[in-house]
Amino acid sequence: MRRSSKLVRGDWWRIFGITLLTGVMAGIAAYVIQLPLSLVQMLPGAIGSSDLGSDPTGSQVMVYLGGAIVLSLVSQLIGQVVVAAFPQLIASLLYIDRRIRTENLAPTLAEAAAVPPAY
């Protein structure tokens, strides 16, 4: 916690704002990904049997519900991948940025990225 405090000293609000904005953007992206698939679930003939009619059989209902559940799970999985991965990537970029600015990490990174000599 001391090191974190030292790294963000003077830029706390900027780091907080970027982190908050990243979370909001990830949530919006997940919603945009999930919305089309949830709209497909509402279409009558998109999943399973298109001939449900007024008195569907048990197997027709099960096929429809199974397809709806699979579409829902796939859309939620894709949305959660976005929500889980994107903010963590931004947090790691912010961490490296703060280390470069406060601890002069740039020469060390440049040295580590240098191509080793061929033997």
Side-chain angles (χ1 to χ4, degrees):
M1 292 303 289
R2 288 186 192 128
R3 184 170 184 200
S4 173
S5 173
K6 180 183 169 191
L7 283 175
V8 299
R9 185 167 289 131
D11 280 337
W12 186 86
W13 282 107
R14 184 177 70 89
I15 301 295
F16 175 71
I18 291 171
T19 305
L20 184 65
L21 181 63
T22 301
V24 169
M25 287 173 46
I28 290 171
Y31 177 72
V32 167
I33 290 169
Q34 291 175 5
L35 185 63
L37 292 175
S38 64
L39 290 176
V40 167
Q41 291 176 4
M42 288 192 266
L43 296 175
I47 304 170
S49 176
S50 62
D51 187 26
L52 286 178
S54 63
D55 190 24
T57 64
S59 62
Q60 288 175 327
V61 171
M62 292 304 291
V63 167
Y64 180 79
L65 288 177
I69 289 171
V70 167
L71 269 178
S72 176
L73 289 175
V74 167
S75 68
Q76 287 181 6
L77 176 69
I78 294 170
Q80 289 300 315
V81 166
V82 170
V83 169
F86 183 66
Q88 302 307 318
L89 292 172
I90 299 300
S92 64
L93 286 174
L94 284 171
Y95 173 71
I96 294 296
D97 175 63
R98 292 311 309 160
R99 286 205 52 205
I100 287 172
R101 292 174 191 255
T102 59
E103 296 177 355
N104 199 19
L105 184 67
T108 307
L109 288 176
E111 182 181 309
V115 177
Y119 293 104

